[in-house]
Amino acid sequence: MVGSKGITVEDSIVNQSSNTAGASTHRGLFACEGNSSGSSDNLLTVTGSVIQVAASNSFGMLVGGYYVADWDGATITGNTIINVGGASNNLYGNTTLNPSIFKNNIFQGDGGSEVLNHTPATNANNCFSNTAITSGGTNNLFVDPQFVDSANGDYRLRPSSPCIGAGTAS
């Protein structure tokens, strides 16, 4: 979504595969303003979605612009972002993203090397599992989220999941 502004993605399933963006390794849910750095209305909001990265060397989300650094901010809340394709970045932020909110999400790595490549202004009540992220933020958990059957794409949480009730309403 290059050159877009005011993007909202809600209650969606994004399954990124090797054919999502041709031969490029910069795949996934893209969001970069790309027009002018003076703009302030190009916020991205992603809520209640499942984003599955299925190819190595890809991104679950490429936020803030890989080629340009003009993105003003992102609100990423209540999502499940899963890497099933080997070493990959789950969420990538190339700029400061001011403001940026990453809250109440579940990040599940595959290779144990997945990172944010960005320090969000708000990084709270997230659950990180099998990633290179092992500390930081406010009230974040670094545990297995206990999906029902992730091998077959069932990312509902088991009743014993430590992620249940770990988020906040505000």
Side-chain angles (χ1 to χ4, degrees):
M1 294 180 273
V2 178
S4 300
K5 298 181 180 186
I7 299 168
T8 300
V9 178
E10 294 178 321
D11 302 325
S12 299
I13 297 174
V14 178
N15 186 1
Q16 177 274 323
S17 68
S18 59
N19 296 322
T20 301
S24 170
T25 58
H26 312 296
R27 303 178 187 107
L29 176 62
F30 287 74
C32 62
E33 199 278 334
N35 291 326
S36 69
S37 59
S39 177
S40 61
D41 59 347
N42 51 348
L43 300 176
L44 169 71
T45 302
V46 182
T47 305
S49 296
V50 174
I51 300 165
Q52 180 174 294
V53 187
S56 174
N57 297 315
S58 300
F59 305 117
M61 286 188 215
L62 183 56
V63 179
Y66 190 78
Y67 301 106
V68 294
D70 296 339
W71 199 262
D72 293 314
T75 300
I76 313 298
T77 58
N79 301 287
T80 301
I81 303 170
I82 305 116
N83 173 29
V84 296
S88 175
N89 295 325
N90 281 94
L91 186 66
Y92 182 93
N94 196 37
T95 66
T96 305
L97 295 176
N98 187 20
S100 60
I101 299 168
F102 295 85
K103 190 170 165 184
N104 300 338
N105 299 290
I106 297 173
F107 298 96
Q108 173 72 49
D110 184 33
S113 61
E114 293 81 0
V115 295
L116 289 176
N117 284 339
H118 163 64
T119 303
T122 301
N123 176 9
N125 302 92
N126 297 298
C127 180
F128 296 94
S129 177
N130 196 27
T131 69
I133 304 164
T134 58
S135 64
T138 303
N139 297 322
N140 287 332
L141 298 175
F142 305 93
V143 297
D144 180 353
Q146 300 181 18
F147 295 123
V148 170
D149 188 5
S150 59
N152 290 305
D154 187 346
Y155 299 113
R156 293 176 297 145
L157 298 174
R158 293 182 186 162
S160 60
S161 171
C163 299
I164 295 174
T168 62
S170 60

